[in-house]
Amino acid sequence: MTTNIGCDCGLGRGQGTLFCPVEVSSTEKNLLAELRYQLNSLKMRLERENDRLMSRISRCQCSEAKEEEPVAYSSAKSEGICQSTQQDNELSISEANTNTSHSNDQSEVSSKEHKHSVHVETFSNCPSLEQAKPPGQCIATHEYARRYVALKITYFGQRFHGFASEAQMEPTVESEIFKALERTKLLIGTRKNSHYSRCGRTDKGVSATGQVISLYLRSNGKEIGRGEEINYAMVLNRVLPKDIRVIGSAPISSEFSARFSCLRREYMYFFWRGTMDISVMQKAAQKFIGEHDFRNFCKMDALNVNNYRRHITEFAISPCNKSNDDNLWAITIKGSAFLWHQVRCMVSVLFMIGEGFESPDIIDFLLDINKTPRKPQYNMAPELPLMLHCCEFQDVNFICSPDTRRNLQEHFTNELRNYLLQAAIMEEALYCLQSVEETSMENRKKKKGHISLMLRPTERYFSRNLFQKLIFEWRGI
């Protein structure tokens, strides 16, 4: 049973309406009803949130700003922004500049940085001003120079709900970074006018050693190589949680975007070899290299994504040389961009091949969307072993002063020792099991047999047109 449904194509009232028939099956009608219910619930939630925010705005007295006398930048720089607590004064930028110096690392790359046309401008911290001061105009408020900067960040994702803070789940890596930026007075104005961008959106539990963000930050206002710039890494690391660290910074041009200027992203996935056949996995992994449609190796996002073709440049499986355990291996994947959960899905299928549950030819079938138009249902690989290893950019040189590098080495060494102590305790717990008598294993639960991917039910797929029709109905168009 099918039904023809028409939609308004936006010609406007009084200008005619174009009727677009769409055939919807009974199964899709049930899905539509379920999605309509969810959209209505979301609409009611948004309305309640809007009422709450309007109530807060009505009580806000921010508009009753007092007039301030003109203050020179040099005076504002020494006094800080407005009033701050004694703890913030200890973290002030002037103190960081006094106690920290960039060594010859900065002077060596200064000539390379000039070709970026580094953007430095004067910015007012008055809430009503969202742009820099026009040339020649005098504004009676505190003013600061700001510079467009890229920050290289390392974080351990075990306790975070992903990197991005848009899902309203706390804590996230991004929310902790902006808390530190506000506390150290490096963020001038709001996040919206900071021209903020991020290279990757790692999921819950995923770590990174080479995440990159870019945004405008407070600056000393001096040209590169002609003066001492703020040591952004050291200032932020003083207030960031111990599982987040800034490991470098780089001045960049105003056209730079941490997301779209990235040439290549590299992920690493660590795993224990166990009984898996590594040679078979290595041969199967080569099938991923090149440009393919990876819709069967990702989580579908039909509302935001309509192109599932991605280019993989390298896919390697090798032993982890940094570990003394020969059983620990690492998968290294390089590509220009990745889909949602793409790495974990590819690793999951490789594990099935390594265990002998699937043939390497399964990758060819899943990459051929004509033979396999819908993704079979299977679990992704766990998130904790996944790491965003590095992000590559053209002519971007991250600077790390000797003092900052020494502090980072000391911090990571202490964290590593703490993890080794926990590992020693866990190893002792395993050793203690040897003294416990083992009971009969006759009644233990048997492991379920493996079902071939090609025989499994497929996931639901909503076309982009279907989502758009639901949005039109929700908005009452």
Side-chain angles (χ1 to χ4, degrees):
M1 175 180 178
T2 59
T3 306
N4 289 333
I5 301 177
C7 65
D8 188 351
C9 291
L11 296 177
R13 296 180 180 178
Q15 301 179 9
T17 301
L18 180 61
F19 185 84
C20 300
V22 179
E23 291 190 357
V24 180
S25 64
S26 59
T27 303
E28 290 179 332
K29 286 178 64 179
N30 296 333
L31 296 177
L32 284 172
E34 180 181 351
L35 288 174
R36 287 193 190 98
Y37 175 77
Q38 295 179 3
L39 287 173
N40 290 332
S41 300
L42 179 60
K43 183 177 180 181
M44 295 175 61
R45 180 179 175 184
L46 291 175
E47 290 176 351
R48 290 196 300 268
E49 184 69 14
N50 184 59
D51 294 339
R52 186 181 67 84
L53 292 176
M54 292 300 295
S55 176
R56 291 182 61 182
I57 292 175
S58 64
R59 297 193 302 268
C60 181
Q61 300 178 357
C62 297
S63 59
E64 300 177 2
K66 297 181 180 180
E67 295 183 357
E68 299 179 353
E69 296 180 357
V71 181
Y73 170 73
S74 59
S75 175
K77 179 181 176 182
S78 62
E79 295 177 4
I81 302 177
C82 300
Q83 297 179 351
S84 59
T85 62
Q86 183 177 358
Q87 186 178 11
D88 286 339
N89 287 334
E90 295 176 357
L91 300 169
S92 63
I93 309 304
S94 59
E95 179 188 358
N97 292 334
T98 303
N99 297 334
T100 309
S101 62
H102 288 284
S103 67
N104 296 332
D105 293 346
Q106 183 171 355
S107 60
E108 292 176 1
V109 299
S110 60
S111 59
K112 297 181 181 180
E113 304 296 348
H114 278 293
K115 59 185 175 182
H116 284 295
S117 301
V118 178
H119 191 66
V120 180
E121 62 181 25
T122 304
F123 186 83
S124 171
N125 73 323
C126 178
S128 61
L129 299 175
E130 295 188 358
Q131 296 180 352
K133 182 187 74 171
Q137 180 178 350
C138 180
I139 301 178
T141 183
H142 298 292
E143 295 176 355
Y144 299 90
R146 66 176 188 170
R147 188 187 302 275
Y148 200 41
V149 179
L151 300 178
K152 191 173 184 179
I153 302 170
T154 291
Y155 55 88
F156 306 94
Q158 286 84 344
R159 73 178 185 94
F160 295 108
H161 292 274
F163 182 83
S165 56
E166 288 143 356
Q168 306 301 324
M169 297 289 289
E170 293 291 340
T172 63
V173 179
E174 201 171 65
S175 63
E176 294 293 339
I177 292 174
F178 273 91
K179 288 178 184 177
L181 290 172
E182 293 173 357
R183 184 178 176 188
T184 55
K185 306 298 187 293
L186 286 175
L187 183 65
I188 303 178
T190 63
R191 171 176 169 173
K192 183 178 180 180
N193 55 38
S194 68
H195 198 52
Y196 171 76
S197 66
R198 54 176 172 260
C199 184
R201 288 186 55 165
T202 54
D203 299 319
K204 178 182 178 181
V206 179
S207 303
T209 56
Q211 176 71 278
V212 175
I213 65 172
S214 60
L215 74 170
Y216 278 103
L217 295 178
R218 180 178 170 183
S219 168
N220 283 339
K222 299 178 181 179
E223 294 295 331
I224 300 298
R226 297 185 179 181
E228 190 176 281
E229 182 54 288
I230 296 171
N231 191 337
Y232 297 108
M234 179 164 284
V235 173
L236 288 170
N237 288 340
R238 290 178 175 178
V239 298
L240 281 169
K242 64 180 182 179
D243 44 6
I244 304 176
R245 281 296 179 269
V246 178
I247 62 175
S249 62
I252 49 179
S253 67
S254 58
E255 291 79 19
F256 178 87
S257 170
R259 178 184 177 186
F260 297 108
S261 300
C262 183
L263 303 177
R264 192 177 295 105
R265 296 167 173 86
E266 177 181 325
Y267 283 89
M268 293 186 69
Y269 194 97
F270 299 93
F271 68 98
W272 298 106
R273 176 178 181 174
T275 60
M276 287 190 286
D277 190 336
I278 297 296
S279 61
V280 174
M281 293 173 61
Q282 290 173 333
K283 293 179 181 179
Q286 301 306 306
K287 298 177 180 292
F288 287 120
I289 296 179
E291 184 175 338
H292 305 283
D293 190 312
F294 286 96
R295 68 181 62 199
N296 291 324
F297 292 94
C298 71
K299 187 171 182 178
M300 300 296 292
D301 186 12
L303 185 59
N304 299 313
V305 180
N306 55 8
N307 180 17
Y308 294 92
R309 298 192 68 84
R310 295 295 185 270
H311 188 212
I312 302 297
T313 58
E314 182 179 336
F315 205 120
I317 305 176
S318 59
C320 187
N321 297 326
K322 302 178 182 65
S323 173
N324 296 326
D325 195 332
D326 295 337
N327 234 359
L328 182 61
W329 286 63
I331 299 175
T332 303
I333 309 173
K334 295 181 181 180
S336 56
F338 293 86
L339 296 165
W340 191 11
H341 292 164
Q342 179 182 342
V343 174
R344 292 168 61 189
C345 287
M346 291 190 296
V347 170
S348 178
V349 174
L350 278 180
F351 285 169
M352 297 179 196
I353 295 173
E355 293 286 356
F357 297 140
E358 295 287 346
S359 167
D361 294 334
I362 190 63
I363 296 179
D364 296 322
F365 284 106
L366 294 177
L367 289 176
D368 190 342
I369 60 173
N370 294 322
K371 295 180 179 178
T372 316
R374 293 189 178 185
K375 175 189 173 184
Q377 296 179 0
Y378 60 89
N379 294 327
M380 298 182 295
E383 69 277 2
L384 289 181
L386 179 59
M387 176 181 67
L388 175 59
H389 186 248
C390 67
C391 304
E392 298 180 16
F393 300 88
Q394 184 177 4
D395 298 329
V396 176
N397 301 288
F398 290 95
I399 302 169
C400 182
S401 70
D403 290 338
T404 303
R405 184 182 299 274
R406 184 167 51 253
N407 292 340
L408 287 171
Q409 289 175 344
E410 181 180 353
H411 173 75
F412 289 142
T413 300
N414 292 335
E415 290 298 303
L416 176 60
R417 288 174 178 173
N418 291 333
Y419 281 112
L420 291 176
L421 288 174
Q422 296 180 32
I425 295 174
M426 194 64 65
E427 187 175 3
E428 187 65 24
L430 288 172
Y431 177 78
C432 291
L433 285 178
Q434 297 178 5
S435 61
V436 180
E437 294 184 2
E438 185 176 351
T439 59
S440 175
M441 303 296 291
E442 295 179 356
N443 297 325
R444 67 179 181 179
K445 187 176 181 181
K446 294 183 179 180
K447 188 176 181 180
K448 293 182 179 180
H450 178 79
I451 301 176
S452 175
L453 290 178
M454 302 306 296
L455 299 179
R456 298 187 185 187
T458 57
E459 295 184 355
R460 295 177 178 178
Y461 174 74
F462 299 100
S463 65
R464 193 180 185 91
N465 293 333
L466 190 60
F467 272 109
Q468 289 178 344
K469 187 178 73 63
L470 287 172
I471 295 298
F472 289 154
E473 291 184 0
W474 183 48
R475 293 177 177 175
I477 298 179

